């Protein structure tokens, strides 16, 4: 249990992840096992989640699509020895290449 000892506070508290939409939630404060603000959701969370591209959805990431290879600021490849006939491995290595490229570009 959590003890919240500010008697003047009448809003909810919440946890929030700006990347994972389903990892955000509201915590209703209780007094004597009753909500202190029943039927009211304050403060408003008010955050619009970004929509990942199809590429990012495939990688489980956000913002990597712009770092897919070839990229002007990155080498031809990071992951070597991938047989394009193995489509799952090729897709996974593409995600790793894009992650490596994103890190490289951010360090330059």
């Amino acid at each position: 249990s959590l003890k919240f000892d500010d008697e003047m506070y009448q809003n909810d508290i919440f946890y929030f992840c700006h990347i994972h939409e389903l990892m955000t939630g509201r915590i209703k404060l209780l007094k004597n096992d009753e909500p202190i603000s029943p039927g009211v959701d304050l403060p408003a969370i008010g955050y619009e989640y970004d929509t990942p591209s199809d590429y990012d959805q495939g990688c489980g990431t956000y913002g990597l699509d712009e770092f897919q290879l070839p990229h002007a600021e990155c080498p031809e490849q990071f992951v070597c020895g991938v047989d394009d006939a193995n489509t799952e491995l090729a897709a996974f290595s593409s995600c790793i290449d894009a992650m490596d490229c994103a890190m490289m570009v951010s360090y330059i």
Side-chain angles (χ1 to χ4, degrees), residues 19-93:
I19 297 171
H20 302 98
E21 184 172 358
L22 299 176
M23 292 182 69
T24 299
R26 182 174 299 280
I27 300 168
K28 295 296 211 180
L29 299 176
L30 304 176
K31 184 171 187 175
N32 300 323
D33 292 327
E34 296 291 327
I36 60 172
S37 295
V40 179
D41 289 336
L42 291 173
I45 294 176
Y47 184 85
E48 296 296 322
Y49 288 91
D50 296 322
T51 303
S53 68
D54 290 340
Y55 180 79
D56 280 305
Q57 286 181 3
C59 292
T61 58
Y62 181 80
L64 285 185
D65 54 341
E66 65 187 84
F67 298 100
Q68 293 180 72
L69 299 182
H71 188 280
E73 297 177 81
C74 295
E76 185 178 317
Q77 67 181 23
F78 289 94
V79 180
C80 58
V82 177
D83 181 359
D84 288 337
N86 185 336
T87 56
E88 289 180 2
L89 183 59
F92 178 72
S93 68

